[in-house]
Amino acid sequence: MVYSLLFYGSKNNFYIFLVIVGKKVLFYLKNNNNKKDLFSFFLRDWMVSFADFKKIELKVARIEKVEDIIGKDKLYKLEIDAGEEKPRILVAGLKPFYSKEELKGKQIVIVANLDPKPLAGIFSQGMLLAVQNEKDAYSVITVEEKVKAGTVVE
């Protein structure tokens, strides 16, 4: 069992935070008189600075081609137009949720400045954005109005 406890003492304005797993205390923090520092401490691993967020390059891309990947029952190989000289290749786990015909022609939002990563033996050159819906399926984030491929999401 995992417990996390926060104690507050008003006499000296102290806070103590404990994370307990079984019978062991894994984490301990004591803070006097500074609520802001304690709050910042709790959030520092989860919060992203605005400067870091600005590094993420989101672009609109159009899915031009969708192919099966041999031996992979959840993955498609997507060829997309991201407004660059050459089309990009993405590998996406959308096969259980979309047919090839449903994906082709969609305007999607991608993270354009990720390092290429090998998936199923293919270098994926970005990542599309999707959301898990109420049916535990995934819905691709799309752009309703027609926009030029490569348009930056602001």
Side-chain angles (χ1 to χ4, degrees), residues 27-57:
F27 178 76
Y28 169 83
L29 170 73
K30 182 178 177 186
N31 184 313
N32 291 329
N33 298 320
N34 199 335
K35 291 182 189 178
K36 186 176 180 183
D37 284 349
L38 184 67
F39 184 71
S40 297
F41 181 83
F42 290 133
L43 294 180
R44 75 172 182 219
D45 288 337
W46 300 296
M47 299 297 286
V48 174
S49 73
F50 188 71
D52 285 342
F53 176 74
K54 286 185 70 172
K55 293 177 188 176
I56 300 169
E57 190 176 312

Side-chain angles (χ1 to χ4, degrees), residues 107-118:
Q107 289 187 128
I108 60 173
V109 177
I110 65 165
V111 180
N113 59 337
L114 285 178
D115 288 333
K117 179 179 178 181

